[in-house]
Amino acid sequence: MIKILFFAQLRERLGVAELTQDTLPDTIGALRNELSQQSGLWAELLQKERCLAALNQEIVADNAKLNSGDEVAFFPPVTGG
Amino acid sequence: MIKILFFAQLRERLGVAELTQDTLPDTIGALRNELSQQSGLWAELLQKERCLAALNQEIVADNAKLNSGDEVAFFPPVTGG
Amino acid sequence: MHQDGISNRNIQVSVEAEDFDVNQEYHWLRENQMRDGAIVTFVGLVRDMNAGEKVQKLCLEHYPAMAFASLQSIAKQATERWRLGKIRVIHRFGELDLGDQIVFVGVTSMHRGDAFAAAEFIMDFLKTNAPFWKKEQTAKGSRWVDAKQSDQDKTASWQK
Amino acid sequence: MHQDGISNRNIQVSVEAEDFDVNQEYHWLRENQMRDGAIVTFVGLVRDMNAGEKVQKLCLEHYPAMAFASLQSIAKQATERWRLGKIRVIHRFGELDLGDQIVFVGVTSMHRGDAFAAAEFIMDFLKTNAPFWKKEQTAKGSRWVDAKQSDQDKTASWQK
C-alpha cells in the first residue's frame, strides 16, 4: 500500500488531497503514468515538466523505486520564501 | 595654509594628532616627501605602501593637487567594520 | 567543502502559522557565543505587487511532513559548505496580509563572507526545494503564483 | 549599473559611540514601504579571538569628519549598482567590550539577490575605505589590528 498526496494547483484541480492505493508500481514514473490514465486532466497536471514528485518527503526523479508503506507526493514547482 | 591630521599608529608613534603648515607643496606626494625628511621615524611611517592619504576627507593618490585651506590626513590601512 | 562540528542545538528550524519576532531571533543568534563576529539575517515580506497585479492577501499552503525536513536539510547543507555557528530558519504558512513577514533566515559565522553566502544559499534552496506554495488574492480573484526560472537558475549556480 | 531614484531620506548613516538597537533599525527598514519584499541585515560584533590572541577590549578610533561622508558615499554607490529601497549604516567608535555590536548594515529591495549583494558590497567597501582603526587589548597589552589582504581582495573583486 502507498499513500499519495497532492498539493496546491494539483490538489485544487484534481479535487483530491490524498489517496491510498494497494497496487504498487515499480517507480515514481510508473505511478505517474498509471495515474495519468485516469483522464486528460490528470495526464495534463501530472506531466513531469510541471509536476514534481517527492518520495517519503524528499524530492526524487522518476526512476526512484517504490516500496509498500511509502508516502508519495505530487505538486507543482514550489513558490515559498 | 593646510591642516594635516594623523590617526591610529601614526598619531601614536609620531606623537602628533594635528599640525598646520603655511608652506604649500604641490601634491600629496610632495607633502609626504617633505614630512618624511623630519626623521627616520617619519620617513618609515609615511611610506606610501603603509600609509594612506585623504584630501578633504576623501582617499586620494599621491598626485592629488593641494590648495590652501585643504585638510590632509595620513593614516594606516583602515580596520573598522 | 567544509565539514563542521555544528551541533543540532545550533540549527533551529520552525514551520509555523504564527508571526515571528526578529528581535528575539537576533538575540538567540547573538547569545551564548563569543566566537562569531558576523550575523546575517534575511526577512521576506508579502509585497504589494506581483506580476503587475496589486496583491491583497496571500495564502501559503505547505506539505507539513516535508517542509520541516526540507528546511533542516538545506541548513545542514550550508554547514557542509561554510564554517557556521548558528542557523535559524522560520517559514510561516496560512493566511498572510500585505507587509506580513513570511520567512526568516539568520546565520552566524566568524567571517562575514561565509555568513552572507550561507544565508543566501539557504534562501535560494528554500525557494526551489521547500514545499510551500503561494496563492495570491487580487482584485481579479485568487491565483497560484508561478515558479520563477530566475530562482531555478540561482539554485543551479550554487551547484557549479 | 542601475541609477536609482532613492531619496536621501531613505539612506540613513550614523557614526556614534552609543550602542544601537537592531530591532529599532529593522522596524525602520520595514515601515512605510510595501514594495520591498527582501530585508537583509548584517551585524558585526567584537570577537573573543583575533590573530591567535584572546581579546579583552577594543578601542575604535575614527576620523570624524571623514567617517560619515565615507559611509554615505559607499551607500550611494550601492544604489547606483542595485535597485534598493532603504539603506541603514551604523558604525560605532570608542571603547567596546567583548560581544558588543560594532557595525550595522541593513538594506531593503524588491529582490533578495540585490539586497544580499548590496549589504555585502557596503560591508566590503566599509572594511577597506571607512576611516576606523581597531586597537585591541589582550593579556599581553594593546595592539593595533592589522589590515587584511583578504579584505582588499574582496573590495577589488567588486571592481571587476
Side-chain angles (χ1 to χ4, degrees):
Chain A
M1 201 197 71
I2 52 172
K3 184 157 105 176
I4 311 168
L5 307 173
F6 302 91
F7 291 98
Q9 296 94 307
L10 261 74
R11 178 183 53 71
E12 275 191 357
R13 295 193 59 196
L14 297 175
V16 55
E18 179 175 338
L19 55 85
T20 52
Q21 71 170 48
D22 290 329
T23 60
L24 186 69
D26 271 1
T27 63
I28 289 282
L31 175 60
R32 200 192 285 271
N33 289 337
E34 207 178 280
L35 293 170
S36 294
Q37 278 154 23
Q38 300 199 51
S39 79
L41 181 67
W42 282 75
E44 183 200 329
L45 292 175
L46 288 177
Q47 274 176 74
K48 218 169 101 181
E49 293 67 33
R50 51 165 73 178
C51 170
L52 303 176
L55 175 58
N56 299 324
Q57 298 91 46
E58 213 163 301
I59 291 175
V60 291
D62 266 16
N63 60 3
K65 293 263 179 280
L66 289 176
N67 289 297
S68 184
D70 281 347
E71 178 174 295
V72 176
F74 289 106
F75 46 76
V78 302
T79 57
Chain B
M1 202 196 72
I2 53 172
K3 184 156 106 176
I4 311 170
L5 307 172
F6 302 91
F7 290 97
Q9 296 95 306
L10 261 74
R11 177 182 54 71
E12 276 191 356
R13 296 193 57 196
L14 298 175
V16 54
E18 179 176 340
L19 54 85
T20 52
Q21 70 169 50
D22 290 328
T23 60
L24 186 69
D26 273 0
T27 62
I28 289 281
L31 174 61
R32 201 194 285 270
N33 289 336
E34 208 178 280
L35 292 170
S36 293
Q37 278 153 24
Q38 300 199 52
S39 79
L41 181 66
W42 282 74
E44 182 201 329
L45 292 174
L46 288 177
Q47 276 175 73
K48 219 169 100 180
E49 293 67 34
R50 52 165 74 177
C51 171
L52 303 177
L55 175 58
N56 299 325
Q57 297 93 48
E58 214 164 299
I59 291 174
V60 291
D62 267 16
N63 60 3
K65 293 262 178 282
L66 290 176
N67 290 297
S68 184
D70 281 347
E71 177 173 295
V72 176
F74 289 107
F75 46 76
V78 303
T79 57
Chain C
M1 297 292 264
H2 181 85
Q3 198 54 261
D4 199 303
I6 190 169
S7 79
N8 283 333
R9 199 164 37 88
N10 285 333
I11 303 180
Q12 294 287 330
V13 171
S14 302
V15 177
E16 56 197 25
E18 296 74 40
D19 196 12
F20 51 83
D21 178 352
V22 167
N23 195 39
Q24 188 179 316
E25 303 311 329
Y26 172 67
H27 281 286
W28 179 79
L29 291 166
R30 192 179 165 190
E31 77 190 357
N32 300 326
Q33 64 94 357
M34 282 292 180
R35 190 197 68 173
D36 290 346
I39 302 182
V40 171
T41 71
F42 174 88
V43 176
L45 307 169
V46 180
R47 300 198 305 199
D48 63 350
M49 294 290 288
N50 187 31
E53 287 286 340
K54 212 143 182 72
V55 176
Q56 296 167 335
K57 249 177 185 304
L58 198 66
C59 188
L60 257 159
E61 178 167 335
H62 75 305
Y63 176 4
M66 181 177 164
F68 180 86
S70 158
L71 296 178
Q72 187 91 20
S73 153
I74 293 166
K76 281 240 156 65
Q77 285 172 58
T79 67
E80 284 159 16
R81 287 183 170 238
W82 298 282
R83 186 163 176 199
L84 308 174
K86 292 185 180 181
I87 302 178
R88 180 72 172 120
V89 183
I90 307 173
H91 204 301
R92 294 177 67 195
F93 60 85
E95 300 266 331
L96 297 178
D97 283 319
L98 220 57
D100 277 0
Q101 301 181 134
I102 305 172
V103 61
F104 178 90
V105 171
V107 173
T108 79
S109 174
M110 290 175 71
H111 304 291
R112 72 182 184 286
D114 289 357
F116 274 114
E120 191 165 12
F121 171 92
I122 290 169
M123 274 308 302
D124 286 351
F125 276 72
L126 182 158
K127 279 270 177 187
T128 54
N129 288 279
F132 293 88
W133 301 271
K134 287 191 183 120
K135 193 174 191 179
E136 291 174 345
Q137 203 172 301
T138 73
K140 293 187 188 164
S142 64
R143 60 175 185 192
W144 291 97
V145 171
D146 279 329
K148 282 191 258 163
Q149 185 57 44
S150 60
D151 285 331
Q152 297 293 333
D153 295 345
K154 273 198 177 125
T155 297
S157 75
W158 290 105
Q159 281 148 349
K160 267 179 210 158
Chain D
M1 299 289 265
H2 180 87
Q3 198 55 260
D4 198 304
I6 190 168
S7 78
N8 283 332
R9 199 166 35 89
N10 285 333
I11 303 181
Q12 293 287 331
V13 170
S14 302
V15 176
E16 56 197 26
E18 295 74 41
D19 196 10
F20 52 83
D21 178 352
V22 166
N23 195 37
Q24 189 180 315
E25 304 311 329
Y26 172 67
H27 281 287
W28 179 79
L29 291 166
R30 192 179 166 189
E31 77 189 356
N32 299 327
Q33 64 93 357
M34 282 292 181
R35 191 198 66 174
D36 291 346
I39 302 182
V40 171
T41 71
F42 175 88
V43 177
L45 306 169
V46 181
R47 300 198 305 198
D48 64 350
M49 293 291 288
N50 187 30
E53 287 287 339
K54 213 147 182 72
V55 177
Q56 295 167 337
K57 248 178 187 307
L58 198 66
C59 188
L60 257 160
E61 178 167 333
H62 74 307
Y63 176 4
M66 181 176 163
F68 180 86
S70 158
L71 297 178
Q72 187 90 20
S73 152
I74 293 166
K76 281 239 156 65
Q77 287 173 56
T79 67
E80 285 159 14
R81 287 183 170 238
W82 299 282
R83 186 163 177 199
L84 309 175
K86 292 185 180 182
I87 303 179
R88 180 72 172 120
V89 182
I90 307 174
H91 204 301
R92 294 178 68 196
F93 60 85
E95 300 266 331
L96 298 177
D97 283 319
L98 219 58
D100 277 359
Q101 301 181 135
I102 305 172
V103 61
F104 177 89
V105 172
V107 173
T108 79
S109 174
M110 290 175 69
H111 303 292
R112 72 182 184 286
D114 288 357
F116 274 115
E120 191 165 12
F121 171 92
I122 291 169
M123 274 309 302
D124 287 351
F125 276 72
L126 183 158
K127 278 271 177 186
T128 54
N129 289 278
F132 293 87
W133 301 272
K134 286 189 184 123
K135 193 174 190 178
E136 290 173 346
Q137 203 171 300
T138 72
K140 293 185 186 164
S142 64
R143 59 174 186 192
W144 291 97
V145 171
D146 281 330
K148 282 191 258 164
Q149 185 57 43
S150 60
D151 285 330
Q152 298 294 333
D153 296 345
K154 273 196 177 131
T155 296
S157 74
W158 289 104
Q159 281 147 348
K160 268 180 213 158

